[in-house]
Amino acid sequence: MVKKRSWLLLLTFLLTLGLLAACGGQEQTGGETEQEEPQEEETTQPDKKVVVGAMDTAPNGQFNPIFYTDAYEANIIGLVFESLIARDENLEFQPELAESWEINEDHTSVTFKLREGITWHDGEPFTADDVVFTYKALSDPEYIAAGGVRTNYVAHLVGFQEYQNGETDEFPGVVALDDYTVQFNYAEPNVLALADAAFPIIPEHIFGDVPVSEIPEHEASLKPGKVIGTGPFKFVDMIEGEQYILEKNENYWKGEPKLDSFVWRVVNANVILGMLETGELDFVGDPTGISPDDYELVSAMDHVEIIEEADFGYQILGFVHNFRTEEDINNGVINPDNFVPNEKLQDKRVRQAIAYAIDREGLIDALLKGHGEVVNSPIAKQWWVYDDQNPTQYKQDVEKAKSLLEEAGYVDVDGDGFVETPDGEPYELTMAYPLGNPIREQSAPIIQDMIQKVGIKVNLLQPMEFGAYSEQLEVNTDWDLYLLGWSLGTTDPDPSPLWSADAAYNYGRWNNPEADELAKKAITPPDAFDRDFRKEVYSDWQVMFQDDLPALLLYARNSIWAYNKRITGVDHLPWSLLNDVHEWDVTE
């Protein structure tokens, strides 16, 4: 059973705001004078090295790693906070705040040696106490009720359940052995030991005396100048919904950043291209990216470099299998035992018919201009466990879709072109989708038309701003289909945080005990220490996912990033343009 408070992701398109001058503008003081007095020596203040990036949607405003909820907040958080370890371009763990680690023989304990001399942005030393505090906060009895959803990082720790339930004040799961040595202790041999230890660390000296329930509203979670990390840039100022300014951390442990400032501007997606062309914007990364429609135009800009990578995520057409009860919604509880079946989608043959109705290749060609690909698994294809062979492929087949509907008893009784239920009642599905992603918005009526062509009537609901939409997804009691996109984490391929029955983000309330058991088996030692074993189990899970269809994976849109060639030192990762940004520099 998981308890959680509804949280609001307020993601709103905003008009272009000319609040910053073009990058690299000169600022001079002094100069020649026409007076006959002795001339002062001409002095020139060096240009500030500033880069400006674009986001088409404003961050919701939560800048604490343990509570943030959207990718726009992550753009800021990722420059401010760091983890003990991080993934490299090959998805292998590399040292970050920790310089080394040792795993004991039975994989129940990992001991990290922290780098000495690292300081927080306010000058306080970074120590093992900060690591312990972060993981205690994630395990706190008040964490989920306060809106936290990242307990998967702490669920395997020794004493987690007892501490979360308030049965003890002791927390043996993460222990500081000295100021620069911290030990993670797991209740059982843990395949995810390193992945679980890869969460961004927050400062104990800032939040140590703050009840976890109050951390989301604390100034150090919300206000520039108060948000304190160890990363290469400090979050120093903002005009909410318009621009977010970060300045270099001169004492950054990897070396003083070469840029002075890193600025995010919130601009309408329709004008990003023009601003990139004029130099008002220096780069466009995730989650906005360059539209496939604009690829050729951007590639023709001599001063702009384009990077294209397979997306570490996907877009889905979600099927609502079950609803939460009103009581569970009011109590902030997700309890699969209490789920109420959505009778309209209980027969998997209906879900499969819808899947066969969709021309996913056609969506990629028409909307993505070929800059994407069909995926048949909710595990990112970059992982070694991705199975592109065994799961059902669902290539569009209208006749098969109609046959499945007929087999399930859904036939057109009255001749109006739409099927009735096996009981002869009118059959209609509702489909919801959010504003904020132009391609997804364009896809909604196309998908509606494709489904209706096989005989299922679809009521396309009025689109909602993303914040309201995401809140409604949590408490939905009447939607049948929904459109959504997921960016996936890079710590481990485990799909449970999105698709297990009690997962907060499992908005379709898919409840398949056999699938959950497979997902658990894939991380259960000792067999799960064998990659081939995990690959086989996850293959079975992916086959089951595609058969039971909690969602139809529509496509993985390629990430298309662009940056002005005046920026040097760009060394992107497969899932992010923002890597080693302390090495970024600018030339005029």
Side-chain angles (χ1 to χ4, degrees), residues 459-524:
N459 175 24
L460 194 61
L461 301 179
Q462 190 71 22
M464 305 169 65
E465 295 292 344
F466 195 88
Y469 180 80
S470 60
E471 185 173 81
Q472 186 60 39
L473 274 173
E474 295 179 44
V475 300
N476 167 47
T477 58
D478 54 12
W479 293 352
D480 303 307
L481 308 172
Y482 63 94
L483 296 181
L484 196 65
W486 286 119
S487 295
L488 303 179
T490 58
T491 54
D492 192 84
D494 177 22
S496 299
L498 288 181
W499 298 109
S500 66
D502 59 0
Y505 291 129
N506 174 15
Y507 292 133
R509 307 306 168 202
W510 183 41
N511 185 11
N512 186 319
E514 189 177 354
D516 284 354
E517 187 60 33
L518 279 174
K520 183 178 180 181
K521 181 179 179 182
I523 60 172
T524 300

Side-chain angles (χ1 to χ4, degrees), residues 371-438:
H371 295 282
E373 60 184 316
V374 168
V375 292
N376 293 296
S377 166
I379 295 175
K381 63 171 295 184
Q382 292 89 339
W383 289 111
W384 79 94
V385 298
Y386 177 77
D387 187 342
D388 61 354
Q389 298 294 324
N390 294 306
T392 305
Q393 304 296 296
Y394 291 112
K395 189 174 181 64
Q396 187 188 36
D397 189 333
V398 172
E399 293 308 313
K400 186 172 182 64
K402 291 180 178 179
S403 176
L404 282 166
L405 288 174
E406 184 176 357
E407 181 183 319
Y410 290 79
V411 296
D412 181 8
V413 176
D414 56 14
D416 66 350
F418 296 114
V419 301
E420 276 72 41
T421 70
D423 296 328
E425 298 296 325
Y427 186 65
E428 179 177 340
L429 301 177
T430 59
M431 185 167 85
Y433 68 102
L435 296 169
N437 181 316

Side-chain angles (χ1 to χ4, degrees), residues 16 36 52 149 154 225 248 326 420 451 476 572:
T16 305
E36 296 181 358
V52 180
V149 295
V154 290
K248 69 178 178 181
E326 292 287 350
E420 276 72 41
I451 298 173
N476 167 47
H572 72 284

Side-chain angles (χ1 to χ4, degrees), residues 92-300:
E92 300 294 337
F93 280 114
Q94 298 295 330
E96 193 159 274
L97 294 176
E99 64 181 15
S100 62
W101 61 86
E102 291 184 5
I103 303 176
N104 69 349
E105 190 171 333
D106 66 357
H107 286 255
T108 58
S109 177
V110 185
T111 303
F112 291 92
K113 182 64 178 177
L114 308 185
R115 299 181 192 273
E116 298 187 28
I118 296 177
T119 60
W120 295 95
H121 291 161
D122 58 3
E124 290 294 317
F126 162 74
T127 71
D129 289 338
D130 298 305
V131 182
V132 172
F133 172 77
T134 300
Y135 279 81
K136 286 182 71 174
L138 291 168
S139 306
D140 194 271
E142 299 176 341
Y143 174 66
I144 294 174
V149 295
R150 295 176 173 87
T151 54
N152 56 295
Y153 284 91
V154 290
H156 303 111
L157 291 169
V158 170
F160 164 70
Q161 288 292 348
E162 294 82 357
Y163 188 77
Q164 186 190 51
N165 294 337
E167 299 171 13
T168 178
D169 293 331
E170 299 297 319
F171 186 71
V174 182
V175 179
L177 302 183
D178 58 44
D179 285 348
Y180 297 102
T181 309
V182 63
Q183 188 174 76
F184 284 66
N185 299 307
Y186 297 105
E188 298 176 352
N190 186 10
V191 175
L192 305 178
L194 291 179
D196 288 347
F199 193 82
I201 305 302
I202 63 175
E204 190 269 346
H205 71 278
I206 298 292
F207 295 108
D209 295 328
V210 181
V212 169
S213 62
E214 298 177 13
I215 287 180
E217 306 304 321
H218 192 275
E219 63 178 6
S221 298
L222 304 174
K223 294 182 179 181
K226 300 297 183 180
V227 176
I228 302 297
T230 59
F233 287 88
K234 304 175 182 180
F235 182 31
V236 297
D237 200 6
M238 72 176 177
I239 300 176
E240 191 168 1
E242 299 176 6
Q243 67 180 16
Y244 300 78
I245 301 173
L246 298 99
E247 292 183 354
K248 69 178 178 181
N249 173 14
E250 295 180 352
N251 298 316
Y252 186 49
W253 60 274
K254 289 184 182 180
E256 181 179 347
K258 297 174 182 178
L259 296 174
D260 292 295
S261 297
F262 203 105
V263 178
W264 290 105
R265 293 183 65 182
V266 180
V267 297
N268 191 290
N270 295 328
V271 299
I272 285 177
L273 188 66
M275 296 177 71
L276 188 64
E277 185 172 22
T278 62
E280 293 174 84
L281 291 175
D282 289 305
F283 72 92
V284 184
D286 281 334
T288 300
I290 298 296
S291 168
D293 284 332
D294 296 330
Y295 183 90
E296 296 301 326
L297 291 172
V298 176
S299 65

